[in-house]
Amino acid sequence: MAKKSRSVYDSFGYEQINGNWYYGKTEYDASSKSYEFVKYGRYIAIERVSIDMDGGSPILTIVYETLDGETKSICVEKSLLSKKRELQSLLLQGDADAHDGGMKALLHCLHISEESATRGRCYHRTGWQPGEKLAFKGKTLIDGTPSGSSVEYAGSYDLTKKGTFAAWKDMVKNEILGNAPLELAILVGLSSIISSKWGARNLIFHFMGDSGTGKTTSAILALSTVGCPNPAETAKNVGVDGKPLRTLMSSWKGTSNALIGKLDGLDGTLMVFDELSKIEDDRVRTSTIYALSDGADKDRMASPTELQTTNQIRTNILSLGEESLLERAKSKNSGINVRVCEISAAFTTSAEQSEEIVRSCYANYGHAGAEFVRYIVENLSHECVADLREQNLDEFEAALVNGGCQSKTPRRLAEFGAILLTVADIAKKALKLKFSRQKIIDFLVDQQVNSDSNTEIGLRAHAALKGFVTKNAANFVVGECKSWNKSIPCYGKIELNGSGAMCEVAIEINQFAQIMDQLHFPNPSLVIQQLKSHGLLNYEAKKNYRKRTLISDVGVVRVYAIKFP
C-alpha cells in the first residue's frame, strides 16, 4: 500500500507511528513549544482517481486500514466527498476508522492524498466507441491495446466474470450444439454486440411457451455470454462505486419510459425482460414495443420551452412469456411485426439437461462476449463486419421468400436472421464453436413464416373475423329477416353457398369497426384495404362497400362484404 507522506507545511496529513499509518493534523503544543502530529484515525486515503470516459463523476479508490489492521478498499464517485454523512456511513460499514470527531480532518486528508493518487480511466456506459477504430466497452475496455484491460466498467449492471471460458465452452459442446433453439439463445446473447453498431435498429426477441419448455433456461444461457445470469447472486454484488449492482434479468413491469430507463447505459449488452403478463394494457404493450425498438421513449419536456435530452439506446432485448408479445398489441401492422421475432419451441429436451445448463452458466459466465469482441477488434474491420451482415441479409431474405414469407417487407423482417447469422459466422472463429448454421436458418424461417404474428394484417384479421362469426353465429342474420329482437345485438348477415357453408359475411360499416377493435385491430380501414388486395372483399366499383338490406324493417345500409372462400 502506497503511503502518503506529510509535508511540514500541511496542517493535515498522514504519519507513521509505531509501524502503523494514521491520518490526522499537525498542531502546536504550547507545553513543549513544538508542532506535534495528532492522530484522528487509522489510514484512509485516495490511491487512485479514474476519469469517466462518458463524462460522469470520477471514481475514487479509497484504501483504508480497519481497526484490526486489515487493508480494504472501496470505490466511490468523487461527488460523495461533498456528502460527509453518506461518505462516513459507507466507510463505517466497511469497518473504517471514520468517527464523528475526525471527519473534518479526514476530508482534508483525502483531498491531499488525491493530488498524488495514480490516474486511470473508467466508464459508465457499455458499447462501441464512436468512430471507425473498433473499441468496445464491456467489463473492461477492449481496444486492441494492453492498456485497455486496465480501463474498467464503473456502471450499475452486473457484468461480472466468474469461472472459466473453457468450462462454459465444454457445457456448450455437450449440451447445446445441435439443438437449434438453444444455439439460437447463445446467438441472441451475443447479438447486441453486432446490431448495436451494424444493425438497422434494436431487435426484440420473444421466447414464448408454457412453463417447462426451457424459456428461462435459454435466457440464462443467453445472459451467461455477457455477464451474471443469476439475479440472486447479483443482489449480493456491488459495483466499483460501492453501490449494489443491477441484474440483467428484469421484469416487464413498468411504463415504457421506465423500461427504457432500465436499458440506459447498456449499449451492446443484452437485457432480458421476464413476466410479459405484467403488461396488462394492450396500448401500453404497443407503445413499449416501439419505444424499445427505437431505443428512446417519447420526447418529454424538461421545461415549458425545452425538451429533455435522452440517450439513444442501441441494444437488443430478450423477452419471456407464456403468451405472444404481439397478439394483444394494439397495432397489428407490418411496422410492429418487423420489430419482434417470436420463437415458440421446446428449448430443452429434459429437466436434467436444463439443470446442467443452469448449473454451468451460474458457475461460468461473462467470458464468451469478451472473447467474441476481442476477435472482432483484433482481426476484423468495420467494413468487413458490415459486408458480412449485408451478405447474410441477402441470404436470409431469400430464405424467407423461398420459405413462403407473405410479408411485403421481407428485407426488414430478415434483419433478425442477418444479425444472428453474422454472430454465428464470427463466433465460429472467435469462440471456436461451430453452430448448426443451416438448422438455424431453417428454424428461424419456419418460426417467422408460420408464426401468426408475422402474417399480414389483412389475413390475420380475416382469420380472427371467421372465428368471431363462428363463435357469435346467433348474432348474425341468415337468409331473409323482416325484423330482429332488439334485446339481442345484430352484428351482420351470413350468406351460405349451395352446400350450406358460409361464403360471405356482410357487416354494417360502424359495426365492423367495433368488431375489429374488439379483436385488437384498431385500424379497420387498413384491414379493408388489405382484404381488398387479397380478393377477399365484395365491393362496388370505386368503393370499398356494398349497399345491402340486412333486416327489412331497417332498410338498406352500407356494409363491408367479406368473402370466405
Side-chain angles (χ1 to χ4, degrees):
M1 169 167 66
K3 302 299 183 181
K4 312 300 176 185
S5 60
R6 177 175 59 87
S7 168
V8 295
Y9 301 107
D10 295 333
S11 59
F12 294 96
Y14 300 86
E15 190 156 307
Q16 190 175 32
I17 302 174
N18 297 326
N20 296 315
W21 283 87
Y22 297 88
Y23 69 88
K25 182 181 180 182
T26 301
E27 298 178 353
Y28 182 75
D29 183 11
S31 62
S32 64
K33 297 182 181 181
S34 63
Y35 287 92
E36 295 185 359
F37 180 75
V38 179
K39 62 182 182 181
Y40 281 83
R42 290 267 188 166
Y43 180 80
I44 305 176
I46 296 170
E47 295 203 350
R48 180 180 173 86
V49 179
S50 297
I51 305 302
D52 190 351
M53 295 170 61
D54 299 321
S57 176
I59 300 296
L60 308 178
T61 301
I62 300 178
V63 177
Y64 63 90
E65 288 182 359
T66 67
L67 294 175
D68 295 331
E70 182 182 357
T71 301
K72 292 185 177 181
S73 67
I74 59 170
C75 294
V76 300
E77 292 184 358
K78 185 175 181 178
S79 57
L80 196 64
L81 294 183
S82 64
K83 303 171 184 177
K84 184 173 69 172
R85 290 303 176 193
E86 287 186 35
L87 176 61
Q88 181 185 20
S89 176
L90 187 62
L91 288 168
L92 289 173
Q93 288 176 26
D95 197 26
D97 197 0
H99 53 85
D100 287 342
M103 284 305 296
K104 180 179 178 181
L106 175 58
L107 289 173
H108 280 287
C109 290
L110 289 176
H111 284 299
I112 292 169
S113 64
E114 183 183 1
E115 294 178 5
S116 57
T118 59
R119 259 52 183 175
R121 292 183 296 162
C122 66
Y123 49 86
H124 282 80
R125 305 184 65 84
T126 64
W128 294 101
Q129 285 284 82
E132 290 295 308
K133 185 180 184 304
L134 296 178
F136 187 87
K137 297 180 295 183
K139 176 60 177 172
T140 61
L141 177 67
I142 301 175
D143 61 357
T145 66
S147 61
S149 60
S150 65
V151 186
E152 291 191 334
Y153 174 65
S156 59
Y157 283 93
D158 196 351
L159 305 184
T160 309
K161 289 183 178 181
K162 182 179 179 180
T164 67
F165 175 54
W168 180 87
K169 188 173 173 180
D170 285 341
M171 178 275 295
V172 172
K173 290 179 177 179
N174 294 330
E175 304 291 345
I176 308 302
L177 295 185
N179 181 324
L182 287 177
E183 288 188 13
L184 188 74
I186 293 178
L187 302 183
V188 169
L190 298 169
S191 66
S192 293
I193 296 169
I194 297 298
S195 63
S196 61
K197 191 169 184 68
W198 292 278
R201 61 185 178 279
N202 295 342
L203 303 179
I204 303 173
F205 297 90
H206 180 61
F207 290 178
M208 63 180 179
D210 295 333
S211 177
T213 55
K215 301 187 305 295
T216 302
T217 298
S218 66
I220 290 170
L221 177 62
L223 284 182
S224 72
T225 62
V226 293
C228 179
N230 185 355
E233 189 168 341
T234 293
K236 304 173 186 176
N237 297 336
V238 295
V240 299
D241 59 358
K243 298 178 181 178
L245 289 172
R246 299 162 69 184
T247 178
L248 293 170
M249 184 176 286
S250 190
S251 165
W252 273 108
K253 186 176 182 179
T255 64
S256 60
N257 192 35
L259 293 171
I260 282 289
K262 291 181 180 180
L263 299 176
D264 189 32
L266 271 183
D267 288 7
T269 304
L270 184 75
M271 169 64 87
V272 172
F273 287 139
D274 197 2
E275 300 178 294
L276 176 62
S277 58
K278 295 291 185 182
I279 305 183
E280 297 179 356
D281 190 305
D282 296 344
R283 289 181 174 83
V284 171
R285 183 176 295 207
T286 300
S287 65
T288 300
I289 291 173
Y290 276 101
L292 291 175
S293 178
D294 294 340
D297 202 6
K298 295 178 180 178
D299 291 333
R300 299 179 183 273
M301 300 301 292
S303 68
T305 59
E306 182 182 3
L307 279 174
Q308 284 183 345
T309 57
T310 57
N311 291 312
Q312 186 73 22
I313 297 164
R314 293 303 310 274
T315 196
N316 293 344
I317 298 96
L318 173 55
S319 164
L320 305 178
E322 294 189 2
E323 60 181 274
S324 166
L325 176 58
L326 292 173
E327 184 58 34
R328 285 172 42 220
K330 206 64 176 177
S331 176
K332 298 193 176 183
N333 53 55
S334 58
I336 201 167
N337 286 339
V338 298
R339 285 170 163 78
V340 179
C341 177
E342 296 198 321
I343 304 295
S344 177
F347 292 90
T348 53
T349 57
S350 67
E352 292 74 20
Q353 182 194 36
S354 180
E355 290 172 3
E356 176 56 25
I357 293 171
V358 171
R359 184 202 64 76
S360 181
C361 288
Y362 279 2
N364 306 279
Y365 54 76
H367 301 280
E371 294 296 324
F372 185 77
V373 169
R374 187 171 291 106
Y375 179 85
I376 294 174
V377 170
E378 294 178 357
N379 298 278
L380 303 177
S381 65
H382 183 280
E383 293 76 14
C384 179
V385 180
D387 290 345
L388 182 58
R389 173 202 170 262
E390 195 68 19
Q391 293 168 18
N392 284 323
L393 188 63
D394 292 339
E395 179 183 0
F396 197 74
E397 180 187 15
L400 282 173
V401 173
N402 294 334
C405 177
Q406 299 180 31
S407 172
K408 292 182 178 179
T409 56
R411 194 164 187 83
R412 294 184 69 193
L413 199 60
E415 178 73 11
F416 292 94
I419 293 297
L420 295 179
L421 290 180
T422 302
V423 173
D425 291 341
I426 295 174
K428 182 179 179 180
K429 294 182 178 179
L431 307 182
K432 301 293 189 296
L433 290 173
K434 188 175 181 181
F435 293 97
S436 309
R437 198 174 189 278
Q438 191 56 50
K439 276 187 179 181
I440 291 170
I441 293 174
D442 295 340
F443 177 77
L444 271 176
V445 168
D446 179 69
Q447 291 285 321
Q448 291 190 280
V449 169
N450 295 324
S451 171
D452 181 56
S453 62
N454 288 316
T455 56
E456 291 187 62
I457 182 175
L459 298 179
R460 298 178 67 233
H462 188 263
L465 181 61
K466 184 177 182 179
F468 178 89
V469 174
T470 301
K471 183 178 180 180
N472 299 278
N475 297 95
F476 287 83
V477 173
V478 179
E480 293 186 8
C481 179
K482 183 177 180 181
S483 61
W484 186 267
N485 185 347
K486 293 184 178 180
S487 64
I488 302 174
C490 179
Y491 295 150
K493 184 175 182 178
I494 298 174
E495 297 288 345
L496 305 177
N497 59 22
S499 60
M502 180 176 70
C503 62
E504 186 176 288
V505 175
I507 303 174
E508 189 270 332
I509 288 177
N510 292 329
Q511 184 66 56
F512 179 83
Q514 294 177 26
I515 292 174
M516 287 294 102
D517 187 67
Q518 185 177 339
L519 295 175
H520 305 304
F521 293 91
N523 192 339
S525 298
L526 179 60
V527 171
I528 288 299
Q529 289 296 331
Q530 291 208 4
L531 290 176
K532 190 175 183 179
S533 68
H534 286 292
L536 296 172
L537 189 68
N538 183 353
Y539 55 93
E540 297 177 7
K542 299 182 180 180
K543 305 289 184 182
N544 290 329
Y545 60 82
R546 279 198 173 278
K547 294 179 180 179
R548 293 273 181 88
T549 299
L550 304 182
I551 303 171
S552 299
D553 288 352
V554 176
V556 176
V557 295
R558 292 178 178 179
V559 301
Y560 289 132
I562 294 98
K563 301 176 184 178
F564 289 91

